[in-house]
Amino acid sequence: MWQFNACRLQSGLAPKVVKAGFKCIVSDQDVWYLDHLDVTWPKFYMNEPLTNITDVNEQNLVLGGEVCMWGETVDPSDIEQTIWPRAAATAGM
C-alpha cells in the first residue's frame, strides 16, 4: 500500500487519508513547524496526531508525525536553540 504524507493544510485531512486506507505521516504546519517561534514546547508536546481518528485500524495507519523547519529562518548561530527543546517534546510523544 502507498504511503501518504498528510499535511494538515486543511482541517481533518489525516482522518480522510486513513479512512481511505492509506498510511500517513502527520505534518502539522500550525504547531509542528519549528520556525514558528511563538509556539512553545508544551504546545508541541500536547499536539495529537490521532485527533479525530477513533477507529483502531485507522490509527494504526498513522505512522507518526514530523516536525519541519524552513531554512530561511535559521543559521548556524541559532539552529540548536531553534530546534531544541520543541522537537524533543514532539519526539517524546
Side-chain angles (χ1 to χ4, degrees):
M1 184 164 307
W2 293 93
Q3 293 184 6
F4 189 89
N5 184 358
C7 194
R8 287 190 185 160
L9 296 175
Q10 59 179 332
S11 179
L13 183 57
K16 291 176 185 176
V17 169
V18 295
K19 186 171 283 306
F22 293 102
K23 294 178 181 179
C24 115
I25 298 170
V26 177
S27 182
D28 189 338
Q29 70 175 10
D30 293 331
V31 179
W32 284 352
Y33 269 37
L34 295 170
D35 51 333
H36 291 177
L37 300 178
D38 59 326
V39 180
T40 61
W41 74 263
K43 289 181 183 176
F44 272 70
Y45 185 77
M46 297 302 293
N47 192 38
E48 174 54 62
L50 298 178
T51 298
N52 298 322
I53 303 172
T54 56
D55 181 279
V56 174
N57 293 320
E58 292 174 4
Q59 288 178 346
N60 289 333
L61 293 174
V62 177
L63 301 176
E66 69 173 352
V67 296
C68 303
M69 181 154 184
W70 290 96
E72 75 274 6
T73 62
V74 68
D75 64 36
S77 71
D78 66 353
I79 193 165
E80 290 292 326
Q81 58 265 35
T82 301
I83 293 175
W84 304 104
R86 293 174 302 144
T90 304
M93 295 184 66

